[in-house]
Amino acid sequence: MRFASPLLFLLATSALAQSPQAQHLIPQPVEIRLDEGQCNLLCPWQVEVSQSASKELFDLLQAELIPLQPPKQMECLLPLRIGFNLIQPDTLLPEEWHMVHVKPDGIGVTATSEAGLFRGSRTLIQLLEQSRESGSLPCLTITDWPRFGWRGMHLDVCRHFFPVEFVKEYIDLLARYKMNRFHWHLTEDQGWRIEIKKYPKLTEIGAWRSGSQVGPYSRREYDSIPFGGYYTQQQIREVVAYAAARHITVVPEIEMPGHAMAALASYPHLGCTGGPYEVQKGWGVFDDVFCAGNDSVFTMLEDVLTEVMELFPGEYLHIGGDECPKERWKTCAKCQARMKSESLKDEHELQSYFIQRIEKFVNSRGRKIIGWDEILEGGLAPNAAVMSWRGTEGGVAAAKQKHNVVMSPGSHCYFDHYQGDPANEPLAFGGYTTLQKVYSYEPIPAELKPEDHKYILGAQGNVWTEYILTPEHVEYMAVPRMLALAEVLWTPKEQRDEKDFIKRLEKEFPRLEKMKVNVSKSLYQVRIVPSQGDSVGLIHIDALAALEGQHTDITWRIYNENGMALGGGGTTDTIDIGRSCTIEARIQTETRAQGKSYPVAVRKFNFNLATARPITLSVPPNERYNEGGAFTLVDGITAQEKRVNTEWLGWRESVTITVDLGSVQDISRIAIGALNETYSWIHMPEAVAFFASSDGKTFTLWGSHQQKTKAGRVAFGVEQAGKVRYVRIAVKHPGTIPEGYPGAGNPAWMFLDEIEVR
Ligand code: ACM
Ligand code: ZN
């Protein structure tokens, strides 16, 4: 019935020539069948939604689809119908099941629920965006449904606060990739971000702090710029409705019993000591928590949760439960009295009492609780779901106990970790979780019996914001890793294909950029990896491209210490250096980026008399911190505070290090760096002794040092003149972590890097 103009004929022929694989969808659907023919998109579109569906859905689809019409329209006798058909529920079909039909005379999405129609509309939007230029879409049938029911993303708005407009944009991103849970982390030590009518001080006082921690954690530096913000209940309702329209459930998190400093600062009588307390400027875990022996704590939390339940209609409330120190409870008369009256044998059971009491209240209102995996300690509340973050063990234990589980292990799901070589990324929390690693994630733990798989509801990506200050930076950390997780959670496991995903992602990047999303291109970052060169004193450098086929596209630039260019050029992936310099490497822009620049990797090499010289260790580093082996200590790279995982070597015992300078030399200094980062259980050496020798047999002590106070990277060294061929450094392990530090009683880590001999 269409009006067939010669123009249309031409367009249709050229579209027919398109590859049948032209659909680049994320997440990949369960089934795509290509049918005969093309659908002409140039006739004016008409969006139709079943009478039985809501007007809200119609309005949203209309508003989103119509702007995707190709700019050039034709005159046609009939419009192009894009129909959304809600059919009878069918218990045999999975929730969110839907079909997308593209036919020569129209487009249809069919589902048994509005959620299914909405998910199908996301597929359709991606298809239509790709067809705007060609003006036609190949006919096809997509049949699709998700692998998991909980496909979540989290956002911490407490360490840094983000405005409602951005929260909605974040929800838009979730919706685009068919995610369906938004975990909103609303209360913390550093800020209470949700208006509670009955307790106004929570936001009058608790939403504001007098400054923020800046820079790497170990530096313990703070600014004094007042920081804060909160969402009014009206704004919360607006966000919840916005998400609901996109079939995303918002899961609010109200932290208890720990991470509660902002609440305690507002109402000090809720803590064991009565305060005063402050909304925290710094990151970490704090000893002051809600008092578990004080009934008014439970009254207050129940009042808070009552208001929260009025605002958030979802099944689950997240009650936190993580990282709750028990120090205050041990010495609090009320907490101890509670333990006695309830016959609780230790403070873990007291935490369990706390959570179970809250659960009983929440259950009595027809809702359920979910908490971080620490809620397993001391006994799980009867109906609670567990969010497994400290690895997968918590999730496995909970599923074995027949409790629902959402997987969110730090190893694969923490998007506050670095996604590229830390040397070339903005400061992050730590860790190293590449896009490919996220994509490789399997949410069902291998050790779980098939009958327990059903307890794994799904997984979610977490975006903690200690080091994330702006919406653009949130986007950078979340995108594209969230897309990888979305596919893990939606697409059947056997259909997952990393190479194919990256190909589709490369088509998605320009669309995201058009939407002004600040995507990370760390995927294309070159890794500059040094190793011992063939000759003593030379460092061999490999530049590794993350993607196959890109290693021949690498270009280099080398600068001396004054920034003068020493050389450069292209297309080799190795190079040898013998002097201090800075190396830049990148994937050539012409070949793949089409005018967009790819990230430049930068590495600074500082040569001294020990660099790239033979080195021996009396005992190897612990296997967990031994990435580059002994060479790491003489690789020309001075480890920085933000790159713990890749640049430092770690021991849990004393070590003696010997370096052969190759010939007797006049030297005046021997030094080595160590890391003091007690919150990560990394302590400074007890002592460092320096020896020198001209024959490798008789060593003379040059000096011994202790350094107790400074945080971060600390250099131990001796200055003395002498003729020396061998230097020896004996580093004494600090032993057990003392009381008052995180991990007290455990063996400390001792991290060393870069020997300096001048
Ligand atoms: C957490 O990362 N503390 C749940
Ligand atoms: Zn107490």
Side-chain angles (χ1 to χ4, degrees), residues 27-28 98 144-147 151 178 486-492:
Q28 181 70 18
H98 59 268
D144 209 5
W145 64 89
R147 182 176 169 209
R151 305 181 302 279
K178 303 188 173 80
E487 185 150 310
V488 166
L489 293 170
W490 183 279
T491 306

Side-chain angles (χ1 to χ4, degrees), residues 270-273 289-294 297 328-336 338 350:
L270 302 175
C272 290
T273 64
V289 302
F290 284 120
C291 177
N294 181 349
V297 166
R328 294 290 178 266
W329 292 355
K330 283 181 190 162
T331 52
C332 168
K334 284 186 193 143
C335 286
Q336 291 303 312
R338 175 85 75 200
L350 184 56

Side-chain angles (χ1 to χ4, degrees), residues 159 188 253 255 259 322-323 372 374 389 414 462 464:
R159 273 53 177 262
E188 257 305 338
E253 182 178 352
E255 276 268 22
H259 287 295
D322 60 320
E323 300 178 321
W372 301 109
E374 285 93 331
W389 74 280
Y414 268 46
N462 293 341
W464 302 100

Side-chain angles (χ1 to χ4, degrees), residues 4 92 172 183 191 233 258 301 315 362 408 461 484 487 492 536 633 687 705 713:
L92 292 178
D172 285 337
H183 174 168
Q233 294 203 347
L301 287 172
E315 179 182 22
V362 171
S408 195
E487 185 150 310
V536 166
L633 299 180
H705 286 269
R713 188 179 197 283

Side-chain angles (χ1 to χ4, degrees), residues 469-595:
L469 279 64
T470 63
E472 293 72 29
H473 196 175
V474 172
E475 291 171 354
Y476 180 88
M477 300 308 274
V479 182
R481 287 184 288 191
M482 176 181 88
L483 282 64
L485 186 61
E487 185 150 310
V488 166
L489 293 170
W490 183 279
T491 306
K493 187 181 174 187
E494 47 301 346
Q495 274 172 248
R496 249 152 67 192
D497 177 339
E498 182 193 294
K499 282 200 193 90
D500 185 66
F501 169 71
I502 289 173
K503 256 193 239 157
R504 284 179 279 122
L505 185 62
E506 294 192 289
K507 301 282 183 190
E508 182 71 356
F509 279 149
R511 293 182 225 141
L512 283 163
E513 281 165 349
K514 212 168 147 199
M515 293 186 259
K516 307 260 187 289
V517 177
N518 182 32
V519 303
S520 162
K521 295 286 184 67
S522 304
L523 172 68
Y524 298 114
Q525 202 181 73
V526 174
R527 280 193 78 191
I528 299 171
V529 182
S531 59
Q532 176 63 51
D534 287 341
S535 316
V536 166
L538 277 190
I539 295 177
H540 177 78
I541 301 216
D542 285 298
L544 304 177
L547 296 185
E548 219 180 338
Q550 286 192 336
H551 67 283
T552 54
D553 298 346
I554 292 169
T555 54
W556 303 80
R557 283 208 196 115
I558 304 176
Y559 301 93
N560 73 5
E561 293 127 303
N562 303 319
M564 253 173 61
L566 294 175
T571 61
T572 166
D573 54 0
T574 69
I575 198 169
D576 285 319
I577 56 169
R579 55 172 291 179
S580 295
C581 61
T582 298
I583 294 182
E584 290 182 6
R586 74 198 297 176
I587 307 289
Q588 240 169 274
T589 50
E590 306 84 76
T591 46
R592 293 181 75 108
Q594 289 150 8

